[in-house]
Amino acid sequence: MKKKLALVLSILMLISVLAACSSGGDKEADYPNKPIEVIVAYKAGGGTDVGARILAAEAEKVIGQPVVIVNREGSDGEMGYTALAQAKPDGYTIGFINLPTFVSLTLERDTKYKIDDITPILNHVYDAGVLVVQASSEWQTLDDFIEYAKANPGEITISNNGAGASNHIGAAHFEHEAGIEVTHVPFGGSTDMLAALRGGHVNATVAKISEVAALAEANELRILASYTEDRLENFPDVPTMKEKGYDILFGSARALVAPKDTPQEIVDFLHDKFKEALESDAHMENAKDKDLPIMYMSPDELSAYIENTEVYLKEISNILDLSN
């Protein structure tokens, strides 16, 4: 009787183990079986948010589940990045990071996330930086702007999307190269940063082209220069910083990532589906309408880009003060 009982118990244990293994496998094989949340670390309406929503709308069609944008703004993006890094690595919470901000924040302060807390999926956008003023501004050209700044040190105010964030880096690097002194005014994101300029509360801002193209075309803002290798296709009359003698290339990469330790098969699934969505005619057309410069990078390319961004930021940290 004891032998039979032991045999029955052994069989039951074996069944239990097999069931557990089967259940674990089914979870990944059945992925996704519920909505996927995509964290955006900035307010609705900003460049990152607009691009994320356009891509998410197409991704839903190929994934077969809702792809929901969740705005978690605060602390120059750190709140959203932290929530992303600390999310359960099961593929149901992923998010966008902005480079260089995602890296620069970790170099400037003790953030609650680390650079290697994420797993790259793909890059979506590379948004070139531009220096802009109101269309009614007295500064018609970059030369006018620099001449005034040199004659009036610290008087010009330039808004940015947070101390040490991407636009602050672009503005501070230009300030250094041009040999001028300006006053940097940080805001919690691009939406508020641009509102300050449009409302006349600051004199200028460094933004991304997707955020200001429509305003420039409507003659509300004037682009003085772009931080690009070549002139912008839609603004051929705008000079580059480089051709004006300031060797600065600056922009923001917006990349989709998952929390560290997300299973590789899930990361591969997300990459393939979001890449399909990114390359769709509908997505490319909508992105063009919003002046979003699409630049796909594979997981390996994105990983290398993050590493190179860290190297660049460590180099310029020796010459720039990004603390305010």
Side-chain angles (χ1 to χ4, degrees):
M1 191 67 182
K2 289 183 179 180
K3 288 182 179 180
K4 287 183 179 180
L5 181 59
L7 178 61
V8 170
L9 290 173
S10 298
I11 292 172
L12 288 173
M13 288 178 65
L14 178 60
I15 291 172
S16 176
V17 170
L18 290 173
C21 292
S22 174
S23 174
D26 285 344
K27 284 181 181 179
E28 291 175 12
D30 196 30
Y31 175 84
N33 56 25
K34 62 181 181 179
I36 296 172
E37 291 190 347
V38 181
I39 294 175
V40 171
Y42 301 97
K43 287 184 177 181
T48 305
D49 178 76
V50 170
R53 291 179 187 276
I54 290 174
L55 183 59
E58 295 306 315
E60 286 185 345
K61 300 175 184 178
V62 295
I63 291 176
Q65 289 287 347
V67 179
V68 183
I69 301 299
V70 179
N71 297 94
R72 296 288 297 272
E73 72 272 9
S75 300
D76 308 325
E78 184 180 349
M79 286 184 65
Y81 298 148
T82 300
L84 171 60
Q86 295 178 353
K88 188 176 180 180
D90 58 4
Y92 289 104
T93 301
I94 57 178
F96 277 87
I97 60 170
N98 292 47
L99 298 162
T101 305
F102 179 77
V103 176
S104 65
L105 292 180
T106 67
L107 301 178
E108 291 151 20
R109 61 195 193 215
D110 186 20
T111 55
K112 295 180 181 178
Y113 70 90
K114 301 187 296 297
I115 296 173
D116 60 1
D117 281 341
I118 53 92
T119 298
I121 297 174
L122 58 76
N123 191 69
H124 180 217
V125 165
Y126 180 81
D127 212 355
V130 288
L131 174 65
V132 296
V133 295
Q134 287 188 328
S136 59
S137 169
E138 63 184 282
W139 306 308
Q140 298 290 320
T141 67
L142 184 66
D143 292 334
D144 293 340
F145 185 93
I146 293 172
E147 182 180 351
Y148 185 93
K150 287 185 175 179
N152 303 274
E155 187 174 316
I156 292 179
T157 52
I158 303 181
S159 61
N160 61 58
N161 57 338
S166 57
N167 297 336
H168 186 197
I169 294 169
H173 200 171
F174 164 62
E175 176 187 25
H176 173 79
E177 294 292 329
I180 59 177
E181 181 183 340
V182 301
T183 298
H184 300 280
V185 185
F187 288 86
S190 297
T191 303
D192 293 339
M193 170 194 83
L194 286 171
L197 175 61
R198 297 173 71 186
H201 305 297
V202 295
N203 304 122
T205 195
V206 168
K208 311 307 184 320
I209 186 59
S210 71
E211 298 164 338
V212 299
L215 295 171
E217 289 166 350
N219 294 318
E220 182 177 342
L221 298 181
R222 179 184 300 123
I223 305 175
L224 297 183
S226 67
Y227 290 76
T228 52
E229 192 73 48
D230 302 307
R231 291 195 176 196
L232 296 167
E233 181 180 354
N234 293 337
F235 297 92
D237 295 332
V238 174
T240 68
M241 289 284 185
K242 196 167 185 178
E243 70 183 79
K244 284 294 184 177
Y246 310 111
D247 193 11
I248 318 168
L249 297 176
F250 163 73
S252 176
R254 295 168 188 160
L256 191 65
V257 302
K260 179 182 177 182
D261 297 328
T262 299
Q264 188 60 47
E265 51 266 47
I266 289 179
V267 174
D268 293 341
F269 173 90
L270 289 167
H271 168 268
D272 294 347
K273 294 301 183 181
F274 273 94
K275 185 172 187 285
E276 182 180 347
L278 183 152
E279 293 174 343
S280 69
D281 291 341
H283 169 263
M284 296 303 286
E285 184 177 341
N286 288 333
K288 184 177 181 181
D289 287 344
K290 296 295 184 181
D291 294 293
L292 289 171
I294 303 304
M295 181 185 283
Y296 166 78
M297 293 184 211
S298 69
D300 287 342
E301 290 170 330
L302 177 55
S303 180
Y305 186 87
I306 293 172
E307 291 177 6
N308 291 336
T309 297
E310 184 178 15
V311 171
Y312 162 73
L313 291 173
K314 285 181 177 178
E315 288 177 352
I316 67 166
S317 66
N318 294 323
I319 60 173
L320 304 183
D321 179 12
L322 299 175
S323 60
N324 53 59

